[in-house]
Amino acid sequence: MNIKINENFKNIKESYLFSDIAKKVKAYQEAHKDAKVIRLGIGDVTLPLPKIVSDAMVKAAHEMSVKETFRGYPPEYGYDFLKDAVSDYYKRNGIEVLSGDIFISDGAKSDLGNIVDILGDNDIYIPDPVYPVYVDSNLMSGRKIHLINGCKENNFLPMPDGLDCNGGVIYLCSPNNPTGALYNFEELTAWVNFALKTGSLIIYDSAYEAFINGDYPRSIYAIEGAKECAIEINSLSKVAGFTGTRCGWTVVPKSLMVGDVSLNKLWSRRQATKFNGVSYPVQRAAEAALSVEGMAECKKNIEYYMENAKMLSELFKEKNIYFTGGINSPYIWLKCPNNMSSWEFFDYLLEKANIVGTPGAGFGAAGEGYFRITSFGTHEATKEAVERLRKLL
């Protein structure tokens, strides 16, 4: 073909991390038909939607079959009822976010990948190890990426101290995926102050904020000045089990200005051109999930997963294996034993214990020698995994 392609795609890996893992597991299971593999790798939920959520979806679906209540294209930015529900959710957590600053999406991953559309050729600052979408989406756009090293010495919570930045885009995630590490108020304030001082923009991924249990910021907007320097992206995938239903939101405060240009208006224009909105039944389900009653049901699911995290954490403490996460996060980030590489440990667990996790190297160079395990399995599967690991490690 006599066309040009986006040459920047040559700078990313040919396949996505979790696709590689799926291929390895499939090949192993084909060769070991009787193996009972326990999957603690991909961050997918196992509990069903709360009944209040599914009931709302069913009711909305029935409305679509009645002429008087049928709805066509949804608003690109989300129905007002859901934007108001998101705003109220923030308010119940002591944070003011205006409905007009909220944009409904089909999940955090989409918006994290698409937000680069409204940004120019900026330097990008990303903690390492990191959720792959941050890096890949910027490589696809030809951006220059600076990795900020996360390590045992800084508890996998890199800070801006000594960072050479004269204005750029900074990605933060707290609780972090993959490490489960969590910034406190003082640490997150330091990042906000750094962004304000340098004229930088923070892209803040708060997809796991509902797992926080304690006095920690659940939104970057809990920090003074953040509405002048930060976009926040959140999702119902983990908190409400929407991995197969797809709904989230992005907050772009109107106070975010680059000269006389509003980032809120740019994102609004981008969505109007490239996004047709989230379906009405899903948005009604999301509204129900964010209600007081709905969130109480969602919390039960979160507590279930955190019981799994507690079982795993106690095992690694027993075995004297260093780890982060597992307290305010569904992820546990552990040091591979016996100086194994992360992929060696992946193969070791799969072959010796039939357990699937995620090699830390897949999240960046700083992840080598570490391994991510999730608590999204069932209690039964997690208990069995703990027993297998107790015998093996």
Side-chain angles (χ1 to χ4, degrees), residues 28-313:
Y28 180 83
Q29 289 192 300
E30 288 176 349
H32 303 82
K33 301 291 187 183
D34 296 329
K36 182 183 177 183
V37 175
I38 299 176
R39 298 172 183 267
L40 301 178
I42 192 168
D44 198 358
V45 296
T46 52
L47 295 177
L49 295 171
K51 188 173 186 301
I52 187 175
V53 173
S54 60
D55 284 350
M57 190 182 300
V58 169
K59 181 176 181 291
H62 282 307
E63 289 178 27
M64 298 293 277
S65 68
V66 178
K67 182 178 180 180
E68 289 74 17
T69 52
F70 171 79
R71 301 183 186 225
Y73 287 120
E76 301 92 348
Y77 327 112
Y79 285 107
D80 287 342
F81 65 76
L82 181 52
K83 292 167 58 167
D84 289 343
V86 173
S87 179
D88 187 61
Y89 175 70
Y90 276 101
K91 186 181 297 183
R92 298 199 305 270
N93 288 313
I95 299 162
E96 183 183 40
V97 172
L98 300 178
S99 179
D101 293 346
I102 296 165
F103 297 81
I104 304 303
S105 73
D106 60 355
K109 184 177 183 180
S110 297
D111 283 2
L112 286 164
N114 292 331
I115 200 72
V116 296
D117 283 2
I118 68 169
L119 302 173
D121 190 14
N122 303 287
D123 282 358
I124 309 297
Y125 298 84
I126 303 177
D128 180 14
V130 69
Y131 183 42
V133 172
Y134 308 160
V135 172
D136 289 353
S137 61
N138 279 286
L139 287 177
M140 290 172 182
S141 298
R143 305 292 184 248
K144 183 178 181 180
I145 295 175
H146 307 269
L147 295 175
I148 313 168
N149 190 51
C151 57
K152 183 178 180 180
E153 288 67 33
N154 61 22
N155 296 313
F156 288 95
L157 291 170
M159 296 298 293
D161 305 335
L163 193 62
D164 184 16
C165 171
N166 294 310
V169 179
I170 301 164
Y171 284 76
L172 297 177
C173 177
S174 181
N176 183 269
N177 179 14
T179 69
L182 175 65
Y183 284 113
N184 61 30
F185 280 94
E186 182 180 356
E187 292 162 339
L188 199 53
T189 296
W191 273 112
V192 168
N193 289 342
F194 178 79
L196 292 170
K197 180 181 177 181
T198 59
S200 298
L201 173 70
I202 294 174
I203 307 296
Y204 190 75
D205 181 353
S206 62
Y208 299 93
E209 53 83 19
F211 289 83
I212 296 174
N213 182 24
D215 188 22
Y216 294 92
R218 292 182 54 178
S219 164
I220 197 165
Y221 302 125
I223 308 300
E224 185 177 354
K227 290 181 182 177
E228 313 301 321
C229 67
I231 289 172
E232 180 163 295
I233 299 175
N234 205 335
S235 167
L236 289 171
S237 287
K238 306 307 191 298
V239 59
F242 272 52
T243 53
T245 308
R246 311 307 304 143
C247 194
W249 66 84
T250 290
V251 180
V252 188
K254 292 186 178 67
S255 50
L256 285 180
M257 302 292 295
V258 179
D260 61 351
V261 177
S262 163
L263 292 187
N264 181 288
K265 288 186 177 179
L266 289 185
W267 185 243
S268 177
R269 187 66 181 88
R270 188 267 173 206
Q271 294 298 80
T273 298
K274 291 189 174 185
F275 185 56
N276 251 350
V278 177
S279 74
Y280 175 68
V282 168
Q283 291 199 51
R284 281 298 186 191
E287 177 191 30
L290 290 167
S291 69
V292 174
E293 183 182 359
M295 197 49 57
E297 291 300 308
C298 292
K299 282 293 185 182
K300 293 177 183 178
N301 287 3
I302 290 173
E303 290 168 2
Y304 179 97
Y305 294 132
M306 293 313 295
E307 274 296 313
N308 290 343
K310 183 179 180 181
M311 283 190 274
L312 291 161
S313 297

